[in-house]
């Protein structure tokens, strides 16, 4: 009996931890947002997004891209399944904003991010609808750096070393880009490394590309290729 008791204790002590269920690979689903996507005449200050599960923020100031560019401080908050975005001074009047969330919002279990989550809204009666798409490549047969910024400038007197763009985005894993909800007009198209994440070129080691002639946006433009070169070439 004593040997049997010892054997039973040994067996209990060596039990393996039960395995959990299947890995959660389902990203958070957006249930509703204020403003709604493509909403016009939005006059609120805070943007609110509600998901079907609890979420976390992941480097929102780097991952969540808001165009047109604003220099004011923007606060990102999360409470359970709700994310709030609050600009310090509010949103500009009669302006179409486009927000790409990238990896900025993830679930709390497996860090799944909503795929291609975007939100566009207008503080005026119209939604700007111009689109520019294309890809970035290296001018020489070298590896393309990660996180290349593609940007549109409106003025012909801008300086990429001193001025920030009107619209911007980052290339995806296939080196393609898509700029949406742009106001019609004339722009200069650039691509560049942004190691300091301030939307400016600040080092001779940062590569850049541009189209020599301005583009006139009266309709969507696609397949615009930007070959990156080094400034010291």
């Amino acid at each position: 009996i004593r040997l049997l008791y010892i054997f039973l204790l040994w067996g209990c002590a060596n039990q393996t931890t039960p395995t959990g269920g299947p890995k959660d690979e389902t990203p958070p689903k957006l249930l509703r947002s204020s403003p709604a996507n493509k909403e016009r005449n939005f006059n609120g200050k805070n943007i609110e997004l509600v998901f079907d599960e609890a979420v976390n923020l992941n480097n929102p100031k780097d991952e969540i891209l808001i165009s047109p560019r604003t220099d004011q401080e923007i606060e990102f908050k999360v409470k359970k399944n709700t994310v709030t975005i609050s600009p310090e001074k509010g949103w500009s009047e009669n302006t179409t904003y486009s927000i790409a969330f990238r990896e900025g919002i993830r679930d709390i279990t497996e860090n799944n991010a909503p795929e291609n989550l975007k939100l566009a809204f207008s503080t005026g009666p119209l939604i700007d609808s111009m689109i520019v798409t294309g890809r970035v490549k290296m001018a020489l047969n070298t590896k393309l750096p990660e996180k290349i910024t593609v940007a549109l400038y409106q003025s012909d007197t801008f300086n990429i070393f001193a001025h920030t763009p009107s619209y911007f985005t980052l290339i995806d894993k296939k080196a393609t880009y898509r700029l949406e909800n742009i106001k019609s007009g004339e722009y200069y198209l650039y691509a560049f490394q942004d190691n300091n994440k301030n939307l400016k070129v600040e080092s001779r080691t940062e590569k850049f590309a541009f189209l020599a002639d301005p583009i006139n946006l009266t309709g969507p433009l696609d397949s615009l290729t930007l070959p990156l070169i080094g400034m010291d070439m």
Side-chain angles (χ1 to χ4, degrees):
I1 294 174
R2 185 175 181 181
L3 289 175
L4 178 61
Y5 179 71
I6 294 172
F7 176 78
L8 290 173
L9 286 177
W10 181 87
C12 292
N14 285 275
Q15 289 182 358
T16 58
T17 303
T19 58
K23 183 178 179 180
D24 178 16
E25 297 182 352
T26 303
K29 180 181 179 181
L30 181 65
L31 298 179
R32 62 184 181 274
S33 68
S34 176
N37 192 37
K38 306 294 184 181
E39 183 174 327
R40 297 170 171 83
N41 295 311
F42 178 67
N43 59 8
K45 180 179 180 180
N46 300 329
I47 292 176
E48 186 176 272
L49 301 101
V50 180
F51 295 88
D52 64 346
E53 60 178 307
V55 294
N56 278 331
L57 290 170
N58 172 48
N59 298 323
K61 292 187 178 181
D62 294 335
E63 290 291 336
I64 299 177
L65 309 180
I66 302 176
S67 280
R69 162 76 169 175
T70 177
D71 292 326
Q72 65 178 310
E73 186 68 24
I74 294 182
E75 183 179 50
F76 300 88
K77 288 184 178 180
V78 61
K79 184 177 182 181
K80 296 182 179 179
N81 65 331
T82 301
V83 173
T84 305
I85 303 174
S86 305
E88 183 180 20
K89 300 176 183 177
W91 308 100
S92 298
E93 295 182 355
N94 296 315
T95 301
T96 296
Y97 287 94
S98 178
I99 306 178
F101 291 89
R102 292 168 47 83
E103 297 283 333
I105 298 173
R106 295 176 173 176
D107 64 29
I108 62 174
T109 54
E110 298 291 343
N111 289 328
N112 298 309
E115 186 174 355
N116 199 32
L117 178 61
K118 295 182 179 181
L119 175 67
F121 67 94
S122 175
T123 56
L126 300 175
I127 287 275
D128 295 327
S129 58
M130 296 296 103
I131 299 173
V132 179
T133 65
R135 62 185 294 264
V136 176
K137 68 176 185 177
M138 292 301 299
L140 302 176
N141 189 22
T142 55
K143 184 179 179 180
L144 183 69
E146 295 182 352
K147 295 189 176 181
I148 297 297
T149 298
V150 178
L152 288 173
Y153 298 83
Q154 286 182 284
S155 171
D156 59 359
T157 60
F158 72 93
N159 184 333
I160 62 172
F161 300 98
H163 301 146
T164 56
S166 301
Y167 299 90
F168 69 99
T169 189
L170 294 174
I171 62 172
D172 60 20
K173 294 179 181 179
K174 296 181 180 179
T176 63
Y177 64 88
R178 183 179 181 89
L179 290 152
E180 299 179 276
N181 299 108
I182 305 166
K183 189 175 183 178
S184 59
E186 186 176 83
Y187 296 90
Y188 292 82
L189 180 63
Y190 272 73
F192 55 88
Q193 285 181 276
D194 187 15
N195 294 335
N196 293 330
K197 299 178 182 180
N198 62 357
L199 294 176
K200 299 175 186 177
V201 179
E202 292 189 329
S203 168
R204 285 195 169 274
T205 63
E206 293 179 332
K207 296 177 173 57
F208 72 102
F210 63 94
L211 294 183
D213 296 321
I215 57 176
N216 190 16
L217 280 182
T218 57
L221 291 177
D222 58 15
S223 304
L224 298 180
T225 300
L226 293 164
L228 286 176
I229 59 173
M231 287 186 290
D232 53 356
M233 293 181 61

